[in-house]
Amino acid sequence: MITRETIDKVFETARVEEVIGDFVQLKRAGSNYKGLSPFSDERSPSFMVSPVKQIWKDFSSGKGGSVVTFLMEHEHFTYPEAIRFLANKYNIEIEETETSQEDKIEANEKESMYLVSEFAKTFFHETLLNSEEGKAIGLSYFKERGFTNETITKFGLGYSPETWDAFTKEALSKGYQLEFLEKVGLTITREDGKHFDRFKGRVMFPIQSLSGRNLGFGGRILTNDKKAAKYLNSPESEIYHKSKVLYGIFHAKQAIAKQNNCFLVEGYTDVIQMHQAGIENVVASSGTALTPDQIRLINRLTKNITVLFDGDAAGLRASIRGIDLILEEGMNVKVCTFPDGDDPDSFARKNSFDDLVSYLENNAKDFIQFKASLLMNEAQNDPIKKADLIRDMVVSISKIPDRIKREVYIQECARIMDISEQVLQNTLAQLIQKDISEAGKKLKNSETLQQKSFEVIKNEVKVSNEKLDILSNLEISIISILVLYGNLVTEFENIYINFDEEGNEIEVKEKIKAKISERIFLSLQEDEISFTNPLFQEVYNDLIQNFVNDANFDIVNYMNTLEETKAGFISNLMMENERYSLAGWLEKKQVFVKEKDSEEVLTNLVTETLISLREYLINKLIMDMMNNFSKEEENDLEELMTTINDYNKLKVSLTNKIGRIRSTYL
């Protein structure tokens, strides 16, 4: 197990904005950073990173936490894996205690699959470089493609021996279980129980995630066997989903963010050759049709995609369909084609870095220009075909979410196609209206089903949710104040009843200095108030104990020691501090501060929150007493009304106190 000292050092060294910046394109927003959510499909950035607090919050999905939590959420790391990843990134030596047998057993199935995949990557790479067969067949092939030793090592290229079960036999001898070899698709077991290697006799291209974890493989056959597929990919598994992966994204991510552009190619060798030529912001869809998930992966790093096609006309026509998907995601698309007979791989080999850069800059066309020139060649002088291609282009423009961009592209299309802009606008309006109508029908059907499912209990659910929201918000407010201000000392007004010499009650007020955490604890303890939400109560107890035991209690360091649920909950509150901050509280109450001390404002924030909670609980108690009163208890009605009147007087008193608090700022 990793020692506590190593974990502490990782948290002290790792910068949340640096780590997340490798996965999400972040832009400065005041003291924080902002970007598009990596957990949901959105066009307006709601993902926030705080360098000061070293936490992040995704407002679209509700997720949040520390740098470790991000890696666990985004890359599906276990806690130890996230620590190891950060230690490796920041060159921190990992100290470990001996791992028990129980800890080994607890390693989950998904992690076992990752380990098997990583072992396979190492095995194939070492076989390529060190075995006679690997060097003679695999290494020779890569050298013929022009790949240098540095490039081969960078991309972890490998070779799977021609022997039926060379890899499987080696993996089993190292203690890896056949179950996981089969689940990641490296081993195939026949009905008679015999097993063989899926990638037998192929050169291997490891496929990595955004963080560099090995997910699967692409294998290319080197023989002329027409019955075998030229390229073979790992099958779908718990760790590999082909439609959500882009080949080369791990090596390209920083260059994509830096250049603010991503070159999209088709195959493995296209990516590798472009990298070797010096163009590193390039990824491949691995020979499959482009998917929305792949586009969103790029969208985290840049809004700009340049699609690189070879000169094959048939391939161009088929591939151009992916452009509409890119436009739907609100991204900017350019297209660059290479001369006939060339693809990104061969063109990069023939040209210097400067020539390659110059060609890409000079030949990348806006999608509308590219599509127009391509389709016009097909239509030639046929008016019917020309009408169809114009409609085809307007369909593409209709996919663009941004209205201003649509307007610009309509103008450009009218100019290129020599057609009235008004005609294109009318066609666009019809297409958009059709999309809206279809979406409306789907929504109506969905609402009808929902009403049928819930119409019987609709009113009861509504009331329940309102009650839950009020109480939950009050409880969250108290915990938020503890998280943000628990260690601060302010002056509170303490009120108690005394008696004069004649025995009359007198209200005595005194000012006392106390930590906010102490004030909250004493107030809730005095009224015997507990939180209704078990998580809130657990977090509250934990916070109070830490504030009592440690005068220098640091909430960020504490959060790093928590399990995922608690850490996420607290980090959410820290990132939403505007909601509970002094300025936010005053704005919510529509209160305008004269020249008042911030300490006084904070005191009143705490006092009002505590009083509001008591007021709500008293009101709830009155309602419960009235609802539970039965006819059999009519003799006790007078006593009940007296009790309720007493509670109502107390409630009025509390309401007046809140009024006095607010009036100090009017």
Side-chain angles (χ1 to χ4, degrees):
M1 294 179 66
I2 303 173
T3 62
R4 183 74 246 174
E5 290 75 16
T6 299
I7 294 173
D8 290 342
K9 192 171 183 180
V10 165
F11 274 112
E12 289 169 6
T13 309
R15 302 295 303 170
V16 67
E17 68 275 19
E18 291 176 353
V19 176
I20 294 179
D22 286 342
F23 302 90
V24 181
Q25 186 181 29
L26 299 174
K27 292 184 178 180
R28 175 71 73 171
S31 61
N32 297 325
Y33 288 91
K34 204 170 188 179
L36 291 172
S37 167
F39 302 108
S40 61
D41 180 18
E42 66 176 12
R43 295 189 175 94
S44 298
S46 66
F47 183 85
M48 300 292 293
V49 177
S50 170
V52 176
K53 298 171 183 174
Q54 284 298 294
I55 55 176
W56 60 277
K57 167 70 177 177
D58 178 22
F59 290 93
S60 65
S61 67
K63 296 176 179 179
S66 66
V67 63
V68 168
T69 311
F70 176 82
L71 292 172
M72 292 172 71
E73 285 282 356
H74 189 270
E75 292 302 305
H76 305 292
F77 284 167
T78 60
Y79 185 86
E81 286 173 345
I83 295 296
R84 291 181 191 281
F85 176 87
L86 293 170
N88 181 62
K89 179 178 176 66
Y90 289 97
N91 297 315
I92 297 171
E93 185 178 351
I94 296 177
E95 297 178 2
E96 296 188 72
T97 57
E98 187 176 347
T99 305
S100 67
Q101 187 61 33
E102 289 75 16
D103 292 328
K104 292 178 182 177
I105 294 173
E106 286 178 4
N108 61 35
E109 181 176 304
K110 204 169 186 179
E111 177 57 23
S112 297
M113 294 169 74
Y114 279 122
L115 292 174
V116 164
S117 189
E118 192 61 40
F119 168 76
K121 178 187 172 186
T122 303
F123 172 83
F124 295 138
H125 186 62
E126 290 181 351
T127 300
L128 176 80
L129 299 179
N130 301 324
S131 73
E132 291 302 320
E133 182 185 344
K135 288 187 284 187
I137 302 175
L139 193 58
S140 296
Y141 168 77
F142 287 132
K143 291 293 185 179
E144 287 172 9
R145 304 290 312 217
F147 298 158
T148 64
N149 290 334
E150 183 181 358
T151 297
I152 290 170
T153 300
K154 178 180 181 179
F155 285 89
L157 304 180
Y159 176 74
S160 179
E162 183 67 31
T163 311
W164 280 101
D165 62 350
F167 164 73
T168 302
K169 189 180 291 184
E170 180 68 12
L172 293 174
S173 71
K174 296 294 185 183
Y176 294 96
Q177 296 178 35
L178 181 61
E179 173 191 358
F180 300 116
L181 296 174
E182 292 173 333
K183 284 186 174 181
V184 296
L186 288 162
T187 300
I188 298 174
T189 302
R190 299 191 312 195
E191 291 182 2
D192 60 6
K194 292 184 179 179
H195 39 253
F196 60 92
D197 299 341
R198 176 183 295 273
F199 296 103
K200 178 180 77 75
R202 293 175 181 265
V203 287
M204 303 297 291
F205 299 86
I207 300 170
Q208 295 172 283
S209 70
L210 200 63
S211 65
R213 302 203 85 183
N214 208 73
L215 307 175
F217 297 90
R220 187 193 193 281
I221 198 167
L222 300 181
T223 65
N224 294 322
D225 185 357
K226 294 182 179 179
K227 293 182 180 179
K230 183 178 178 181
Y231 277 97
L232 183 66
N233 273 40
S234 293
E236 293 283 309
S237 71
E238 280 290 311
I239 63 173
Y240 178 62
H241 303 282
K242 192 173 184 178
S243 65
K244 298 181 179 181
V245 176
L246 286 166
Y247 181 74
I249 190 71
F250 172 64
H251 297 294
K253 60 186 179 184
Q254 291 184 342
I256 291 171
K258 185 177 180 181
Q259 302 293 332
N260 196 24
N261 183 45
C262 177
F263 291 112
L264 180 64
V265 296
E266 186 177 353
Y268 304 126
T269 58
D270 294 327
V271 170
I272 298 171
Q273 201 66 253
M274 293 282 282
H275 264 264
Q276 186 168 284
I279 307 293
E280 296 189 345
N281 53 324
V282 56
V283 297
S285 57
S286 302
T288 62
L290 195 63
T291 68
D293 284 324
Q294 291 172 330
I295 297 167
R296 289 172 197 139
L297 194 58
I298 298 172
N299 200 6
R300 299 178 194 174
L301 303 169
T302 182
K303 299 290 284 185
N304 305 303
I305 292 181
T306 303
V307 184
L308 304 184
F309 290 137
D310 60 32
D312 176 59
L316 285 176
R317 194 67 180 85
S319 301
I320 204 170
R321 287 191 289 270
I323 290 177
D324 286 355
L325 290 176
I326 298 172
L327 294 172
E328 282 182 16
E329 295 299 322
M331 300 181 72
N332 307 313
V333 190
K334 287 187 176 182
V335 181
C336 181
T337 59
F338 293 99
D340 285 344
D342 270 328
D343 56 23
D345 179 357
S346 61
F347 194 82
R349 267 189 282 171
K350 294 177 184 178
N351 294 274
S352 67
F353 171 74
D354 290 338
D355 289 341
L356 184 55
V357 170
S358 177
Y359 183 87
L360 294 173
E361 288 178 351
N362 295 329
N363 290 274
K365 297 179 180 178
D366 191 87
F367 91 92
I368 202 77
Q369 296 172 323
F370 171 76
K371 197 166 185 177
S373 62
L374 178 67
L375 298 180
M376 280 295 283
N377 288 335
E378 293 182 8
Q380 296 180 353
N381 296 321
D382 188 328
I384 296 176
K385 286 185 177 179
K386 185 176 179 180
D388 288 341
L389 85 86
I390 292 173
R391 186 173 183 83
D392 192 349
M393 292 173 67
V394 177
V395 167
S396 292
I397 295 172
S398 72
K399 304 294 183 185
I400 301 172
D402 187 277
R403 187 173 178 179
I404 295 175
K405 282 185 181 179
R406 287 203 305 263
E407 183 75 22
V408 170
Y409 279 123
I410 284 292
Q411 293 172 0
E412 181 68 8
C413 185
R415 184 188 65 79
I416 293 172
M417 306 307 297
D418 191 23
I419 190 172
S420 164
E421 188 178 319
Q422 187 61 47
V423 171
L424 297 183
Q425 287 284 11
N426 292 340
T427 305
L428 177 65
Q430 289 172 7
L431 289 170
I432 292 174
Q433 186 58 48
K434 182 181 177 183
D435 289 341
I436 292 172
S437 298
E438 290 178 354
K441 288 177 183 177
K442 289 180 181 178
L443 182 61
K444 189 174 181 180
N445 291 337
S446 174
E447 288 176 344
T448 302
L449 287 172
Q450 205 170 33
Q451 286 172 0
K452 287 181 179 178
S453 300
F454 294 98
E455 60 187 4
V456 177
I457 57 169
K458 183 169 57 179
N459 293 333
E460 296 174 5
V461 171
K462 184 177 179 182
V463 172
S464 174
N465 284 341
E466 286 177 353
K467 289 182 178 179
L468 180 64
D469 287 343
I470 294 171
L471 189 54
S472 291
N473 285 336
L474 287 168
E475 293 178 353
I476 288 173
S477 296
I478 290 173
I479 297 174
S480 298
I481 292 169
L482 280 175
V483 167
L484 296 169
Y485 310 115
N487 255 337
L488 295 181
V489 176
T490 60
E491 189 174 66
F492 291 95
E493 185 178 71
N494 189 30
I495 303 174
Y496 60 93
I497 301 299
N498 208 341
F499 298 92
D500 58 18
E501 294 178 355
E502 298 177 359
N504 298 316
E505 291 184 0
I506 55 173
E507 187 179 74
V508 180
K509 300 179 181 179
E510 63 177 2
K511 298 285 187 179
I512 57 172
K513 286 275 189 180
K515 271 188 183 182
I516 287 176
S517 55
E518 293 173 6
R519 166 69 172 171
I520 290 174
F521 171 70
L522 292 173
S523 178
L524 296 185
Q525 187 183 51
E526 179 184 353
D527 294 323
E528 297 182 349
I529 294 174
S530 298
F531 292 92
T532 54
N533 185 303
L535 174 63
F536 298 171
Q537 185 65 53
E538 197 173 338
V539 170
Y540 168 78
N541 292 340
D542 216 11
L543 287 171
I544 290 296
Q545 185 176 356
N546 277 282
F547 280 122
V548 170
N549 295 337
D550 185 359
N552 300 313
F553 174 56
D554 182 85
I555 193 69
V556 175
N557 290 337
Y558 161 72
M559 189 180 66
N560 293 335
T561 66
L562 297 177
E563 50 89 12
E564 189 176 345
T565 303
K566 287 185 185 177
F569 174 62
I570 291 178
S571 67
N572 287 349
L573 300 184
M574 293 175 71
M575 286 300 287
E576 289 181 333
N577 60 5
E578 292 85 1
R579 180 179 173 188
Y580 302 103
S581 65
L582 306 183
W585 177 72
L586 293 170
E587 183 180 348
K588 182 180 177 182
K589 305 301 179 187
Q590 295 185 326
V591 173
F592 301 94
V593 181
K594 297 177 182 178
E595 294 183 2
K596 293 289 182 181
D597 183 62
S598 61
E599 181 182 311
E600 186 176 354
V601 180
L602 182 55
T603 299
N604 284 282
L605 166 62
V606 176
T607 304
E608 179 183 340
T609 305
L610 290 170
I611 289 175
S612 295
L613 178 61
R614 291 178 66 194
E615 184 181 26
Y616 173 83
L617 292 175
I618 289 170
N619 193 54
K620 183 177 181 299
L621 183 60
I622 292 172
M623 294 300 295
D624 288 344
M625 291 172 67
M626 294 175 66
N627 290 334
N628 294 330
F629 186 76
S630 63
K631 289 184 178 180
E632 288 76 13
E633 299 172 314
E634 284 184 358
N635 294 335
D636 301 323
L637 179 59
E638 186 176 344
E639 183 180 345
L640 173 66
M641 295 309 298
T642 301
T643 305
I644 289 176
N645 284 334
D646 289 341
Y647 278 127
N648 277 323
K649 288 178 183 177
L650 178 57
K651 196 170 73 170
V652 170
S653 172
L654 294 174
T655 303
N656 290 337
K657 283 185 180 180
I658 292 176
R660 288 199 300 273
I661 291 170
R662 295 178 185 173
S663 67
T664 59
Y665 297 99
L666 296 177

